[in-house]
């Protein structure tokens, strides 16, 4: 039985009130609030951000009369006249959130369930409040306040290019965290005036509030955000541990078109002594979209290929798209059994041009999809999956709200689609005895809880440019504060990138240096040129480090970053274990690691971050310039990364770090990459 049912407080407001409000303890110092309009029962949404059974460590749930309850350090009061809630932190009496709007109306999308309504809630805003999280957004800032988003925009490729994720959680500088527990489309609008959430189609307004623990002030070195993040993952689920092979370098391009080409590249890394842990087979390796299998003309011996890579110490990752097309290997099974998403009236229809979307909200469709994966890929030993187009991708922004899934319309459950998509593989691997720490999937989208399914995220099809690299440094921190444990970019950017130019090779070095300190370290891109298309399709331009950086100076800089990451792999596992246990992200904004240093909370340090507790990372993101770095004053020993001129990147150990500039002559060199570890040193000319 769920913990919430054992301690639920039901507040009914008489005939004039119209609403039913239910308060449930949901992890320590946290309360879930559900409000049902007249005629609707209190119920869960079809896809939950919250776990049905959250982790409860020490908090006690106490009722305070008919219209209030407390759980640990959080108290919720319900106004009996309006049903508005007020959230208060008990340890200091601070009002965290005060509701001002609660409204239900007809749903804004057609074809929804009986009783479905649109829901609007709003709270008073606070000038100066900062909010962190909300998913993956290329806004150029870590603090997302002010923030407005039409949630469905994140799934529209013409808007997001696969690089925008709407995730309904944030942590506030005022000492609380908030979840809008709805998979529905709608919008969020956060400002100094009001904090507003809207769902197009739902049965209840459903949200969750947490605050810091009463004893958190006893340890001034502990960030209040650490409490919020722990309560968050206790309520929504902790990340699965990453496999060790995922800590290393991942080689990818759009696209290796046949088996011999892929194996030649793998051998090229090994013969050059370059670290490599994973190599990726991108799209169009099939005969027809939806076959979920290799084209035997181009990939004649998948088992032999997999075994040869294993002998080289390399895992094989394969891309898996969520679409079916008429006449593919699985078409008859999926179309006849209702495994594909139809229009609201039940008519079969394209999801986007020429393809049909499978429905992972249907358990039978999930099982059939994983069975097909095992037949096409898993039987060879492949257990690392690149889930491309996982929003699910669509191009036309006018089509939202037109489709019906097993659990509801896309207007009602569309944002949670990717959670059940990753669940397809989590359930499937569990069914064949593969542990979560032995596989991982890399979808191009996320929602609250996908990390439970060993799922990471990457930032979509971004451009090859220094300004994009600068933005990605901040995107990474927002993703980390959203609870997504494993994240990466396409090193060098996906679109563009010409090695023959003066700027791109330097951009690539800088991006490798940043990438070495991301949770996942992955090279990918669509490069111009390449040989002509043949029977196995196009292969585009080269995307291997020896081809991308023909100049010895740039090549040395890339190799140095690769070897540095290789030496850090045990450390990467260590900080991933901390993330799994506590929700503390691997990649950390400065304010999270140094809560008592005011300088670490300002916008001028959002272009640097901590990688775990030991590495301060300040990537160079501008062509041929030098920077200052802010290092928080601390008595502990840690590694410090300093940005310097051109291709210099200096890492050195300081026993007490202060503000440092790399312009000093003693470190100046235009062609060196110096890495100094505790007790040992590498020098790369």
């Amino acid at each position: 039985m769920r913990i919430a049912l054992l301690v639920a407080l039901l507040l009914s407001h008489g005939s004039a009130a119209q609403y039913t409000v239910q308060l449930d303890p949901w992890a320590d110092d946290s309360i879930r609030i559900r409000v049902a309009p007249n005629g609707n029962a209190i119920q869960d949404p079809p896809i939950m951000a919250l776990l049905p059974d959250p982790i409860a460590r020490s908090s006690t749930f106490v009722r305070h009369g008919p219209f209030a309850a407390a759980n640990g350090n959080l108290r919720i009061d319900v106004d009996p006249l309006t049903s508005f809630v007020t959230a208060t932190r008990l340890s200091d009496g601070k009002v965290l959130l005060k509701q001002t709007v609660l409204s239900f109306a007809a749903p804004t999308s057609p074809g929804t369930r009986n009783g479905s309504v649109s829901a609007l809630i709003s709270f008073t805003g606070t000038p100066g409040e900062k909010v962190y999280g909300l998913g993956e957004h290329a806004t150029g800032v870590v603090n997302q306040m002010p923030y407005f988003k039409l949630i469905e925009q994140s799934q529209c490729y013409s808007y997001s290019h696969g690089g925008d994720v709407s995730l309904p959680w944030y942590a506030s500088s005022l000492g609380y965290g908030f979840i809008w527990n709805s998979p529905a489309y709608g919008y969020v609008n956060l400002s100094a005036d009001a904090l507003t959430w809207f769902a197009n189609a739902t049965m209840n307004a459903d949200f969750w509030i947490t605050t810091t623990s009463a004893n958190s002030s006893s340890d001034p070195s502990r960030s209040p955000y650490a409490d919020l993040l722990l309560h968050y993952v206790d309520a929504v689920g902790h990340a699965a541990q990453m496999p060790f092979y995922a800590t290393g370098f991942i080689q990818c391009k759009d696209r290796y078109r046949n088996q011999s080409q892929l194996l030649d590249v793998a051998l090229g890394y090994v013969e050059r002594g370059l670290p490599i842990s994973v190599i990726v087979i991108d799209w169009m390796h099939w005969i027809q979209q939806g076959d979920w299998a290799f084209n035997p003309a181009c990939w004649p011996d998948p088992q032999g290929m997999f075994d040869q890579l294993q002998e080289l110490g390399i895992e094989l990752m394969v891309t898996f798209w969520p679409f079916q097309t008429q006449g593919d290997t699985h078409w008859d099974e999926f179309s006849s059994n209702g495994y594909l998403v139809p229009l609201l009236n039940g008519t079969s229809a394209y999801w986007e041009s020429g393809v049909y979307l499978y429905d992972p909200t249907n358990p039978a469709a999930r099982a059939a999809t994983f069975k097909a994966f095992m037949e096409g890929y898993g039987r060879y030993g492949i257990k690392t999956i690149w889930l491309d187009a996982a929003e699910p991708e669509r191009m036309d922004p006018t089509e939202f709200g037109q489709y019906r899934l097993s659990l509801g319309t896309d207007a009602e459950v569309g944002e949670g689609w990717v959670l059940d998509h990753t669940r397809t593989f989590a359930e499937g691997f569990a069914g064949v005895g593969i542990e979560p720490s032995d596989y991982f999937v890399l979808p191009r989208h996320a929602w609250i809880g996908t990390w439970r399914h060993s799922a990471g995220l990457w930032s979509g099809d971004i451009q090859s440019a220094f300004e994009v690299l600068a933005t990605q440094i901040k995107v990474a921190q927002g993703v980390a504060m959203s609870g997504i444990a494993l994240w990466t970019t396409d090193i060098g950017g996906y679109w563009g990138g010409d090695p023959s130019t003066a700027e791109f090779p330097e951009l690539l070095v800088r991006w490798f240096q940043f990438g070495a300190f991301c949770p996942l370290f992955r090279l990918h891109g669509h490069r111009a040129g390449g040989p002509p298309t043949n029977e196995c399709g196009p292969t585009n331009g080269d995307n291997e480090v020896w081809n991308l950086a023909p100049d010895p100076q740039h090549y040395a800089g890339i190799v140095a970053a690769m070897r540095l990451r290789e030496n850090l792999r045990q450390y990467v596992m260590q900080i991933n274990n901390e993330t799994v246990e506590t929700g503390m992200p691997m990649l950390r904004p400065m304010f999270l690691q140094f809560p008592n240093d005011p300088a670490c909370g300002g916008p001028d340090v959002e272009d640097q971050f901590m990688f775990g507790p030991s590495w301060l990372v300040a990537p160079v993101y501008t062509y041929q310039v030098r920077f200052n770095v802010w290092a928080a004053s601390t008595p502990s020993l840690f590694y410090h990364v300093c940005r310097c001129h051109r291709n210099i990147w200096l890492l050195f150990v300081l026993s007490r770090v202060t503000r440092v500039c790399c312009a000093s002559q003693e470190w100046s060199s235009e062609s060196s990459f110096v890495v100094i570890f505790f007790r040992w040193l590498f020098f790369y000319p």
Side-chain angles (χ1 to χ4, degrees):
M1 183 177 291
R2 296 184 305 170
I3 295 171
L5 292 179
L6 298 175
V7 292
L9 171 63
L10 185 64
L11 305 174
S12 297
H13 300 195
S15 59
Q18 303 291 320
Y19 306 135
T20 301
V21 182
Q22 182 167 313
L23 309 181
D24 299 297
W26 223 271
D28 284 2
D29 308 300
S30 310
I31 293 177
R32 179 185 181 188
I33 301 101
R34 279 176 284 180
V35 186
N38 190 35
N40 279 5
I42 295 290
Q43 58 191 278
D44 291 335
I47 301 175
M48 288 263 287
L50 297 169
L51 288 174
D53 294 302
I55 297 173
R57 299 175 186 267
S58 60
S59 291
T60 302
F61 186 66
V62 179
R63 302 179 184 184
H64 294 277
F67 301 113
N71 186 38
N73 202 27
L74 179 68
R75 173 171 169 143
I76 298 292
D77 288 85
V78 182
D79 187 312
L81 297 179
T82 63
S83 298
F84 296 167
V85 302
T86 299
T88 304
R89 186 167 56 198
L90 292 176
S91 57
D92 58 3
K94 181 178 182 179
V95 174
L96 303 171
L97 283 169
K98 189 173 182 63
Q99 191 173 0
T100 57
V101 175
L102 172 63
S103 175
F104 296 103
T108 60
S109 296
T112 54
R113 293 168 295 164
N114 290 334
S116 185
V117 294
S118 63
L120 175 71
I121 65 169
S122 191
F123 303 87
T124 300
T126 302
E129 181 178 12
K130 302 174 183 178
V131 297
Y132 302 102
L134 294 164
E136 179 184 68
H137 307 294
T139 55
V141 292
V142 181
N143 167 25
Q144 294 296 326
M145 183 70 81
Y147 176 83
F148 176 82
K149 175 69 68 176
L150 289 173
I151 292 171
E152 55 266 34
Q153 283 181 333
S154 294
Q155 294 186 353
C156 187
Y157 187 87
S158 59
Y159 167 83
S160 69
H161 300 285
D164 194 85
V165 171
S166 290
L167 190 147
W169 144 266
Y170 68 84
S172 168
S173 61
L174 301 183
Y176 72 90
F178 183 92
I179 294 173
W180 179 236
N181 185 35
S182 171
Y185 298 144
Y187 68 82
V188 53
N189 189 6
L190 308 179
S191 72
D193 298 319
L195 311 170
T196 301
W197 294 83
F198 177 79
N200 288 346
T202 185
M203 304 298 281
N204 294 173
D206 189 338
F207 53 100
W208 177 89
I209 301 171
T210 190
T211 191
T212 54
S213 299
N215 61 0
S216 62
S217 60
S218 62
D219 182 3
S221 66
R222 178 176 169 82
S223 170
Y225 294 101
D227 277 355
L228 302 181
L229 289 167
L230 177 60
H231 298 161
Y232 173 48
V233 295
D234 280 352
V236 305
H238 287 243
Q241 185 184 63
M242 70 190 302
F244 182 72
Y245 68 80
T247 64
F249 175 65
I250 303 172
Q251 169 64 37
C252 186
K253 68 167 281 187
D254 178 6
R255 52 186 282 273
Y256 296 122
R257 63 184 175 187
N258 59 42
Q259 181 173 324
S260 60
Q261 184 188 28
L262 182 92
L263 289 174
D264 286 346
V265 170
L267 286 168
Y269 275 92
V270 173
E271 291 169 353
R272 290 172 173 83
L274 299 176
I276 180 172
S277 294
V278 181
I279 194 166
V280 185
I281 298 175
D282 201 350
W283 67 328
M284 296 191 296
H285 60 262
W286 45 73
I287 295 176
Q288 186 171 334
Q289 173 82 273
D291 284 343
W292 294 331
F294 295 109
N295 179 351
C298 307
W299 309 88
D301 183 13
Q303 189 65 67
M305 173 179 61
F306 179 84
D307 292 345
Q308 186 173 347
L309 290 171
Q310 290 284 292
E311 291 173 3
L312 296 173
I314 302 172
E315 288 289 331
L316 179 61
M317 174 184 268
V318 65
T319 189
F320 188 97
W321 289 55
F323 302 124
Q324 286 285 296
T325 56
Q326 293 185 22
D328 70 38
T329 303
H330 307 286
W331 174 256
D332 289 344
E333 177 188 8
F334 275 66
S335 61
S336 64
N337 287 304
Y339 297 164
L340 303 176
V341 176
L343 294 172
L344 294 176
N345 63 8
T347 303
S348 176
Y350 292 147
W351 179 258
E352 60 178 14
S353 180
V355 299
Y356 299 79
L357 179 70
Y358 97 104
D359 182 2
T361 73
N362 180 342
R366 290 199 300 271
T369 300
F370 187 77
K371 179 175 178 288
F373 166 82
M374 290 300 294
E375 292 170 351
Y377 308 111
R379 66 191 177 108
Y380 305 118
I382 297 170
K383 55 185 178 181
T384 306
I385 314 167
W386 179 12
L387 298 178
D388 212 341
E391 294 81 9
E393 175 184 292
R394 60 175 104 183
M395 299 293 180
D396 187 347
T398 67
E399 292 183 349
F400 292 97
Q402 303 301 313
Y403 294 87
R404 182 177 299 280
L405 292 85
S406 177
L407 290 181
T409 68
D410 62 325
E412 294 172 292
V413 301
E415 270 301 292
W417 185 93
V418 68
L419 181 63
D420 275 354
H421 185 36
T422 57
R423 183 180 176 186
T424 294
F425 299 93
E427 290 177 340
F429 282 126
V432 297
I434 298 177
E435 295 293 324
S437 58
D438 290 335
Y439 73 90
F440 90 97
V441 298
L442 186 61
R444 200 182 65 190
H445 205 63
W447 200 60
I448 290 178
T450 51
W451 46 85
R452 303 195 308 261
H453 301 153
S454 299
L457 177 69
W458 93 96
S459 58
D461 298 341
I462 53 179
Q463 295 290 325
S464 297
F466 270 100
E467 59 268 26
V468 175
L469 171 59
T471 298
Q472 293 298 303
I473 296 165
K474 299 173 184 180
V475 170
Q477 297 172 68
V479 168
M481 290 298 293
S482 300
I484 299 165
L486 302 179
W487 179 87
T488 181
T489 63
D490 292 349
I491 288 176
Y494 178 75
W495 293 112
D498 183 352
S500 68
T501 65
E503 188 168 315
F504 179 70
E506 184 171 327
L507 170 66
L508 195 67
V509 173
R510 296 308 193 195
W511 216 310
F512 261 94
Q513 292 167 352
F514 167 56
F517 292 95
C518 290
L520 297 171
F521 182 38
R522 171 178 165 271
L523 173 64
H524 183 51
H526 178 102
R527 308 295 172 224
T533 294
N534 65 14
E535 68 278 3
C536 296
T539 185
N540 306 316
D542 294 326
N543 200 49
E544 300 73 45
V545 297
W546 56 89
N547 292 315
L548 291 175
D551 183 273
Q553 177 182 345
H554 296 128
Y555 181 74
I558 292 172
V559 171
M562 295 176 71
R563 290 181 178 163
L564 172 60
R565 174 61 177 235
E566 188 69 13
N567 285 318
L568 284 175
R569 290 180 66 185
Q570 288 294 343
Y571 176 77
V572 173
M573 283 300 302
Q574 174 187 329
I575 60 176
N576 178 253
N577 289 340
E578 183 182 0
T579 299
V580 171
E581 181 67 24
T582 69
M584 192 73 163
M586 300 167 71
L587 190 154
R588 304 169 184 177
M590 294 295 291
F591 64 80
L592 183 58
Q593 190 68 39
F594 303 107
N596 298 315
D597 191 331
C600 288
D604 56 334
V605 296
E606 288 190 345
D607 57 355
Q608 63 185 68
F609 57 88
M610 297 295 296
F611 190 54
S614 299
W615 287 86
L616 192 163
V617 186
V620 180
Y621 53 80
T622 309
Y623 185 46
Q624 295 186 332
V625 299
R626 65 183 73 194
F627 293 86
N628 288 334
V629 177
W630 178 260
S633 180
T634 175
S636 62
L637 185 72
F638 66 89
Y639 299 108
H640 177 255
V641 178
C642 190
R643 301 177 290 190
C644 297
H645 185 54
R646 289 187 178 272
N647 297 308
I648 311 158
W649 204 35
L650 308 176
L651 289 75
F652 51 97
V653 177
L654 299 174
S655 60
R656 189 175 186 86
V657 179
T658 56
R659 193 169 183 86
V660 179
C661 178
C662 292
S664 61
Q665 286 297 312
E666 62 180 303
W667 295 105
S668 182
S669 170
E670 295 220 354
S671 61
S672 299
F673 186 104
V674 181
V675 184
I676 304 178
F677 293 87
F678 188 49
R679 295 185 181 173
W680 45 280
L681 175 148
F682 285 130
F683 177 79
Y684 300 102

